[in-house]
Amino acid sequence: LLAVAVFWLAGDAGRAAAPGGYRLVTVLPYIAILAMALSGMNVFAVLFAGIALAGGVGMAVVDGYTPLRFAQDIYKGFTGMHEILVLSMLMGGLGELIRYQGGVAWLLAAVRRFTDRPGSSRGAAVRTGEAGISGLVAVADLCTANNTVAIILTGGMAREIAATSGVDPRRSASLLDIFSCVVQGLAPHAAQVLLAGSIAGISPVAVLSANYYCLLLGAAGVLAILVGLPRAPRTDVSGVERA
């Protein structure tokens, strides 16, 4: 909302693109995927259901769209993700190699040097752990220029830091997502920034200065770490949330 307000107040006048025609039934797969994701369904189930629903709607309402065309589109989608698939596998292996060679233990020891100081409270330990998780994924994204790969690379390390520092797993996952997206939107060598600059015909650095959403998201993330809000609800042994 803050980003929308900034764009509204600081944005320049422009010409809106004319809306194209659409059919409501062709939008149903996207609505269904969004609803399933928000309901907390397993991600693989959501992906599989989305593919099946999109193919079914396509064959039902698009002339000439056959099961063979559907299979070809699936293959095209797979080939389009081939590079990121290989890179994710490589980064996952690199992350395990870092853990095996003691890199994770070194990170945990570095976090403990701050959390085990005399007089440090549990809140300070949690904040230090959250800051370590955020910084870790931010550096990984800056090096790889891919937020998905950065999360894969640092996910295991973040889990161990969270367990050691008392960080709630849900906050740990949120911090991984937030700060990987922040760096991804502010790195001049990121694919999205380069694409936006090429489309607009401006320097990628100029794109960064107008990326108010990522700037505000980063500020909100840092503020959340400092004040410890929002607090995740506690759970008992059975996993039931308590007030």
Side-chain angles (χ1 to χ4, degrees):
L1 294 177
L2 287 175
V4 171
V6 171
F7 281 121
W8 179 269
L9 297 174
D12 200 356
R15 185 177 62 183
Y22 69 94
R23 299 171 64 180
L24 181 59
V25 66
T26 59
V27 186
L28 289 179
Y30 300 97
I31 299 175
I33 291 172
L34 180 61
M36 287 186 290
L38 293 176
S39 68
M41 281 184 61
N42 181 275
V43 62
F44 290 104
V46 173
L47 292 174
F48 181 79
I51 293 172
L53 186 58
V57 170
M59 286 183 283
V61 302
V62 178
D63 294 334
Y65 195 77
T66 63
L68 179 59
R69 287 278 305 277
F70 180 42
Q72 291 173 340
D73 287 339
I74 292 177
Y75 176 74
K76 288 180 182 178
F78 177 78
T79 55
M81 294 294 294
H82 183 260
E83 291 183 1
I84 188 66
L85 174 65
V86 175
L87 185 60
S88 298
M89 294 174 62
L90 176 63
M91 289 301 173
L94 181 60
E96 181 61 21
L97 183 63
I98 292 172
R99 186 199 64 78
Y100 182 78
Q101 295 294 335
V104 176
W106 180 85
L107 287 171
L108 293 176
V111 172
R112 290 194 188 98
R113 281 199 294 270
F114 292 94
T115 59
D116 293 343
R117 290 177 178 177
S120 60
S121 62
R122 181 183 180 277
V126 172
R127 285 193 295 271
T128 302
E130 291 181 347
I133 292 170
S134 304
L136 187 64
V137 73
V139 171
D141 191 271
L142 188 64
C143 295
T144 61
N146 189 297
N147 54 334
T148 303
V149 173
I151 292 174
I152 293 174
L153 178 61
T154 59
M157 292 179 275
R159 182 170 58 248
E160 295 195 34
I161 293 175
T164 302
S165 305
V167 178
D168 187 276
R170 291 161 291 192
R171 281 184 65 91
S172 174
S174 297
L175 292 171
L176 285 175
D177 183 39
I178 289 171
F179 284 93
S180 64
C181 290
V182 167
V183 176
Q184 185 71 15
L186 297 178
H189 58 290
Q192 294 87 341
V193 177
L194 293 174
L195 179 61
S198 64
I199 293 175
I202 58 177
S203 168
V205 178
V207 176
L208 303 183
S209 61
N211 197 344
Y212 303 119
Y213 174 73
C214 286
L215 293 171
L216 292 171
L217 182 63
V222 173
L223 184 63
I225 293 174
L226 293 176
V227 302
L229 296 173
R231 292 187 178 89
R234 294 177 296 173
T235 57
D236 56 22
V237 178
S238 61
V240 177
E241 291 186 355
R242 298 182 298 170

